[in-house]
PDB file of all heavy atoms in Angstrom:
ATOM      1  N   ASP C 144     -56.125 -36.993 -95.978  1.00 94.00           N
ATOM      2  CA  ASP C 144     -56.518 -36.604 -94.602  1.00 94.00           C
ATOM      3  C   ASP C 144     -56.709 -37.811 -93.765  1.00 94.00           C
ATOM      4  O   ASP C 144     -57.671 -37.877 -92.935  1.00 94.00           O
ATOM      5  CB  ASP C 144     -57.815 -35.750 -94.652  1.00 94.00           C
ATOM      6  CG  ASP C 144     -58.053 -35.020 -93.324  1.00 94.00           C
ATOM      7  OD1 ASP C 144     -56.997 -34.687 -92.661  1.00 94.00           O
ATOM      8  OD2 ASP C 144     -59.164 -34.741 -93.033  1.00 94.00           O
ATOM      9  N   LEU C 145     -55.878 -38.865 -93.978  1.00 93.00           N
ATOM     10  CA  LEU C 145     -55.872 -40.083 -93.151  1.00 93.00           C
ATOM     11  C   LEU C 145     -54.539 -40.171 -92.451  1.00 93.00           C
ATOM     12  O   LEU C 145     -53.542 -39.756 -92.936  1.00 93.00           O
ATOM     13  CB  LEU C 145     -56.034 -41.238 -94.080  1.00 93.00           C
ATOM     14  CG  LEU C 145     -57.342 -41.354 -94.914  1.00 93.00           C
ATOM     15  CD1 LEU C 145     -57.265 -42.533 -95.864  1.00 93.00           C
ATOM     16  CD2 LEU C 145     -58.563 -41.563 -93.990  1.00 93.00           C
ATOM     17  N   GLU C 146     -54.608 -40.795 -91.211  1.00 91.00           N
ATOM     18  CA  GLU C 146     -53.324 -40.994 -90.505  1.00 91.00           C
ATOM     19  C   GLU C 146     -52.470 -42.085 -91.031  1.00 91.00           C
ATOM     20  O   GLU C 146     -51.243 -41.982 -91.053  1.00 91.00           O
ATOM     21  CB  GLU C 146     -53.637 -41.277 -89.051  1.00 91.00           C
ATOM     22  CG  GLU C 146     -53.831 -40.044 -88.182  1.00 91.00           C
ATOM     23  CD  GLU C 146     -52.657 -39.107 -88.280  1.00 91.00           C
ATOM     24  OE1 GLU C 146     -51.489 -39.481 -88.035  1.00 91.00           O
ATOM     25  OE2 GLU C 146     -52.879 -37.869 -88.548  1.00 91.00           O
ATOM     26  N   LYS C 147     -53.113 -43.173 -91.467  1.00 87.00           N
ATOM     27  CA  LYS C 147     -52.328 -44.357 -91.977  1.00 87.00           C
ATOM     28  C   LYS C 147     -52.112 -44.236 -93.444  1.00 87.00           C
ATOM     29  O   LYS C 147     -53.145 -44.241 -94.214  1.00 87.00           O
ATOM     30  CB  LYS C 147     -53.073 -45.636 -91.581  1.00 87.00           C
ATOM     31  CG  LYS C 147     -52.239 -46.864 -91.886  1.00 87.00           C
ATOM     32  CD  LYS C 147     -53.012 -48.067 -91.391  1.00 87.00           C
ATOM     33  CE  LYS C 147     -52.160 -49.364 -91.461  1.00 87.00           C
ATOM     34  NZ  LYS C 147     -51.632 -49.702 -92.697  1.00 87.00           N
ATOM     35  N   PRO C 148     -50.966 -44.134 -93.931  1.00 80.00           N
ATOM     36  CA  PRO C 148     -50.725 -44.028 -95.421  1.00 80.00           C
ATOM     37  C   PRO C 148     -50.960 -45.312 -96.100  1.00 80.00           C
ATOM     38  O   PRO C 148     -50.715 -46.434 -95.479  1.00 80.00           O
ATOM     39  CB  PRO C 148     -49.270 -43.611 -95.528  1.00 80.00           C
ATOM     40  CG  PRO C 148     -48.590 -44.046 -94.244  1.00 80.00           C
ATOM     41  CD  PRO C 148     -49.672 -44.100 -93.208  1.00 80.00           C
ATOM     42  N   SER C 149     -51.435 -45.281 -97.326  1.00 90.00           N
ATOM     43  CA  SER C 149     -51.646 -46.460 -98.171  1.00 90.00           C
ATOM     44  C   SER C 149     -50.299 -46.753 -98.857  1.00 90.00           C
ATOM     45  O   SER C 149     -49.702 -45.829 -99.383  1.00 90.00           O
ATOM     46  CB  SER C 149     -52.710 -46.167 -99.174  1.00 90.00           C
ATOM     47  OG  SER C 149     -52.558 -46.936-100.300  1.00 90.00           O
ATOM     48  N   ASP C 150     -49.849 -47.987 -98.729  1.00 92.00           N
ATOM     49  CA  ASP C 150     -48.588 -48.369 -99.440  1.00 92.00           C
ATOM     50  C   ASP C 150     -48.645 -48.062-100.887  1.00 92.00           C
ATOM     51  O   ASP C 150     -47.706 -47.594-101.484  1.00 92.00           O
ATOM     52  CB  ASP C 150     -48.287 -49.822 -99.207  1.00 92.00           C
ATOM     53  CG  ASP C 150     -47.892 -50.098 -97.737  1.00 92.00           C
ATOM     54  OD1 ASP C 150     -47.499 -49.190 -97.046  1.00 92.00           O
ATOM     55  OD2 ASP C 150     -47.993 -51.326 -97.349  1.00 92.00           O
ATOM     56  N   ARG C 151     -49.776 -48.404-101.504  1.00 92.00           N
ATOM     57  CA  ARG C 151     -49.897 -48.201-102.966  1.00 92.00           C
ATOM     58  C   ARG C 151     -49.841 -46.740-103.324  1.00 92.00           C
ATOM     59  O   ARG C 151     -49.122 -46.302-104.253  1.00 92.00           O
ATOM     60  CB  ARG C 151     -51.202 -48.759-103.416  1.00 92.00           C
ATOM     61  CG  ARG C 151     -51.473 -48.694-104.927  1.00 92.00           C
ATOM     62  CD  ARG C 151     -52.700 -49.493-105.300  1.00 92.00           C
ATOM     63  NE  ARG C 151     -53.913 -49.095-104.553  1.00 92.00           N
ATOM     64  CZ  ARG C 151     -54.824 -48.324-105.060  1.00 92.00           C
ATOM     65  NH1 ARG C 151     -54.802 -47.902-106.267  1.00 92.00           N
ATOM     66  NH2 ARG C 151     -55.911 -47.971-104.256  1.00 92.00           N
ATOM     67  N   MET C 152     -50.513 -45.874-102.566  1.00 94.00           N
ATOM     68  CA  MET C 152     -50.548 -44.469-102.888  1.00 94.00           C
ATOM     69  C   MET C 152     -49.192 -43.757-102.467  1.00 94.00           C
ATOM     70  O   MET C 152     -48.753 -42.859-103.094  1.00 94.00           O
ATOM     71  CB  MET C 152     -51.716 -43.761-102.217  1.00 94.00           C
ATOM     72  CG  MET C 152     -53.046 -44.242-102.729  1.00 94.00           C
ATOM     73  SD  MET C 152     -53.203 -44.240-104.520  1.00 94.00           S
ATOM     74  CE  MET C 152     -53.175 -42.519-104.842  1.00 94.00           C
ATOM     75  N   THR C 153     -48.571 -44.254-101.409  1.00 93.00           N
ATOM     76  CA  THR C 153     -47.285 -43.784-101.021  1.00 93.00           C
ATOM     77  C   THR C 153     -46.218 -44.004-102.141  1.00 93.00           C
ATOM     78  O   THR C 153     -45.526 -43.055-102.531  1.00 93.00           O
ATOM     79  CB  THR C 153     -46.791 -44.503 -99.764  1.00 93.00           C
ATOM     80  OG1 THR C 153     -47.632 -44.052 -98.657  1.00 93.00           O
ATOM     81  CG2 THR C 153     -45.345 -44.156 -99.431  1.00 93.00           C
ATOM     82  N   MET C 154     -46.308 -45.246-102.711  1.00 94.00           N
ATOM     83  CA  MET C 154     -45.362 -45.508-103.788  1.00 94.00           C
ATOM     84  C   MET C 154     -45.742 -44.716-105.114  1.00 94.00           C
ATOM     85  O   MET C 154     -44.841 -44.286-105.769  1.00 94.00           O
ATOM     86  CB  MET C 154     -45.405 -47.017-104.132  1.00 94.00           C
ATOM     87  CG  MET C 154     -44.656 -47.822-103.017  1.00 94.00           C
ATOM     88  SD  MET C 154     -42.994 -47.222-102.572  1.00 94.00           S
ATOM     89  CE  MET C 154     -42.128 -47.399-104.129  1.00 94.00           C
ATOM     90  N   ALA C 155     -47.016 -44.553-105.402  1.00 94.00           N
ATOM     91  CA  ALA C 155     -47.405 -43.722-106.493  1.00 94.00           C
ATOM     92  C   ALA C 155     -46.888 -42.337-106.392  1.00 94.00           C
ATOM     93  O   ALA C 155     -46.373 -41.757-107.365  1.00 94.00           O
ATOM     94  CB  ALA C 155     -48.910 -43.790-106.696  1.00 94.00           C
TER      95      ALA C 155
END
Side-chain angles (χ1 to χ4, degrees):
D144 198 28
L145 299 171
E146 273 306 305
K147 188 174 187 306
S149 156
D150 290 339
R151 182 172 55 103
M152 296 310 292
T153 293
M154 288 310 297

